[in-house]
């Protein structure tokens, strides 16, 4: 198979581990995520995966309930560690070797993030699961994903979400919403109100020319198709013209 991208940063939001639960981790959902990842792993794509934590804890929500924001953010980072371990378990159950690296030191459960080591793991055919985001508060795992994607020299940041791309308006509220096939970073950043990805993370990708692909993980063979360069989701780059799907 011809793959368009050799090394990818895959950002998996915590919600993908929810299954039917309102909160927490459903091991079956983790297995479904793992199965999708395996489909590109077997095509020899190098994968660095940044795990979110929103299914367990988000700093902003903690702050609303009276916890100091920085403390709440550290709690959110710890949530990503739990998710990362759940996904490691699921991936290894289906024969995909992994390593978990954490931006917060936690030697008993994960390696510490070391850039060159992460690259080596990928070269040796291991999926590197990056947890604890950036290791600092006041940002989200989207920023962790763009930073790690850049330093690990990934060809693309693939953001797996619940919606199948970026729309001109909220598709759940407006039936006439149209999906973008391609979008310039400039236009994506202007559409601030449309919650696709943190603007700070998008701006970093724009400045450093790392394209972003927004797609729905559980829809058909989306991940494999996206890797082949087929039209799934929305591709955001400095090198395209903004256009809608037909
Ligand atoms: N977080 C943080 N710094 C980081 C990454 C994450 O403080 O570099 C915290 C933040 O509180 C965030 C939570 O961890 O809300 C969980 O991550 P996120 O909300 O990005 O998870 P996702 O929406 O991807 O599931």
């Amino acid at each position: 198979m011809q793959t368009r991208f050799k090394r990818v940063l895959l950002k998996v939001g915590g919600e993908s581990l929810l299954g039917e639960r309102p909160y927490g981790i459903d091991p079956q959902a983790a297995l479904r995520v793992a199965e999708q990842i395996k489909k590109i792993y077997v095509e020899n794509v190098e994968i660095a995966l940044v795990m979110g934590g929103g299914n367990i804890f988000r700093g902003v929500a903690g702050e609303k309930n009276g916890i100091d924001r920085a403390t709440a953010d550290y709690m959110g980072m710890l949530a990503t560690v739990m998710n990362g371990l759940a996904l490691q378990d699921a991936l290894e159950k289906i024969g995909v070797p992994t390593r978990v690296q954490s931006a917060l030191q936690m030697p008993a459960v994960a390696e510490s993030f070391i850039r060159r080591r992460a690259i080596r793991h990928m070269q040796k055919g291991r999926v590197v699961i990056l947890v604890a985001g950036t290791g600092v508060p006041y940002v989200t795992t989207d920023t962790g994903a763009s930073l790690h994607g850049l330093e690990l020299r990934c060809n693309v940041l693939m953001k797996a979400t619940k919606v199948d791309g970026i729309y001109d308006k909220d598709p759940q509220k407006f039936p006439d919403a149209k999906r973008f096939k391609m979008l310039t970073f400039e236009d994506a950043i202007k559409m601030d109100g449309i919650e696709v990805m943190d603007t700070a993370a998008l701006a970093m990708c724009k400045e450093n020319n790392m394209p972003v692909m927004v797609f729905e993980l559980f829809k058909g063979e989306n991940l494999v198709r996206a890797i082949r360069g087929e039209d799934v989701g929305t591709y955001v780059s400095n090198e395209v013209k903004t256009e809608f799907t037909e």
Side-chain angles (χ1 to χ4, degrees):
M1 179 180 96
Q2 275 299 92
T3 51
R4 179 176 179 190
F5 307 110
K6 188 177 174 318
R7 181 181 293 166
V8 301
L9 188 298
L10 180 63
K11 161 71 209 290
V12 178
E15 283 180 349
S16 60
L17 301 184
L18 278 176
E20 296 303 312
R21 298 173 192 220
Y23 161 89
I25 301 169
D26 174 358
Q28 291 307 315
L31 265 180
R32 284 198 296 276
V33 175
E35 275 154 12
Q36 298 299 323
I37 295 167
K38 187 173 181 178
K39 288 182 190 164
I40 60 166
Y41 173 79
V42 296
E43 302 295 342
N44 297 321
V45 175
E46 293 179 3
I47 307 159
L49 190 148
V50 166
M51 192 67 234
N55 54 323
I56 300 173
F57 198 84
R58 281 206 174 91
V60 277
E63 189 182 31
K64 276 197 194 116
N65 290 317
I67 303 175
D68 169 76
R69 172 66 191 269
T71 304
D73 278 338
Y74 281 109
M75 293 166 69
M77 286 182 251
L78 293 179
T80 72
V81 180
M82 287 204 268
N83 284 340
L85 293 179
L87 197 56
Q88 173 173 51
D89 179 74
L91 279 164
E92 299 213 330
K93 281 207 167 91
I94 58 169
V96 179
T98 64
R99 289 290 186 274
V100 179
Q101 288 202 346
S102 173
L104 293 174
Q105 288 203 22
M106 222 173 284
V109 286
E111 291 179 6
S112 292
F113 175 72
I114 297 172
R115 173 177 172 265
R116 295 172 65 107
R117 204 168 188 192
I119 292 173
R120 193 80 193 111
H121 285 323
M122 287 191 279
Q123 289 168 340
K124 284 189 169 171
R126 299 172 184 138
V127 174
V128 194
I129 302 171
L130 302 168
V131 297
T134 61
V136 293
Y138 295 98
V139 287
T140 69
T141 51
D142 279 355
T143 301
S146 49
L147 277 169
H148 283 317
L150 288 168
E151 66 179 327
L152 297 175
R153 306 261 183 276
C154 294
N155 309 126
V156 65
L157 192 168
M158 307 200 64
K159 167 136 182 172
T161 63
K162 294 181 293 191
V163 273
D164 63 348
I166 305 178
Y167 285 76
D168 58 346
K169 44 194 164 185
D170 186 347
Q172 270 150 11
K173 285 189 206 142
F174 302 95
D176 62 335
K178 285 188 289 181
R179 175 167 66 87
F180 291 104
K181 180 178 179 185
M182 298 194 197
L183 197 56
T184 61
F185 273 118
E186 212 180 333
D187 288 342
I189 290 166
K190 270 192 227 147
M191 294 166 47
D192 205 18
I194 299 185
E195 293 169 16
V196 195
M197 205 169 144
D198 285 7
T199 317
L202 269 178
M204 197 188 304
C205 295
K206 174 181 192 293
E207 257 168 51
N208 296 285
N209 251 324
M210 179 171 61
V212 174
M213 172 88 87
V214 178
F215 71 105
E216 189 181 345
L217 185 60
F218 292 123
K219 197 170 158 194
E221 301 281 285
N222 258 359
L223 183 55
V224 185
R225 292 183 55 212
I227 288 287
R228 286 182 195 146
E230 291 177 27
D231 172 26
V232 284
T234 302
Y235 185 67
V236 190
S237 156
N238 287 320
E239 266 107 53
V240 296
K241 282 209 176 78
T242 293
E243 60 176 90
F244 289 108
T245 48
E246 274 106 52

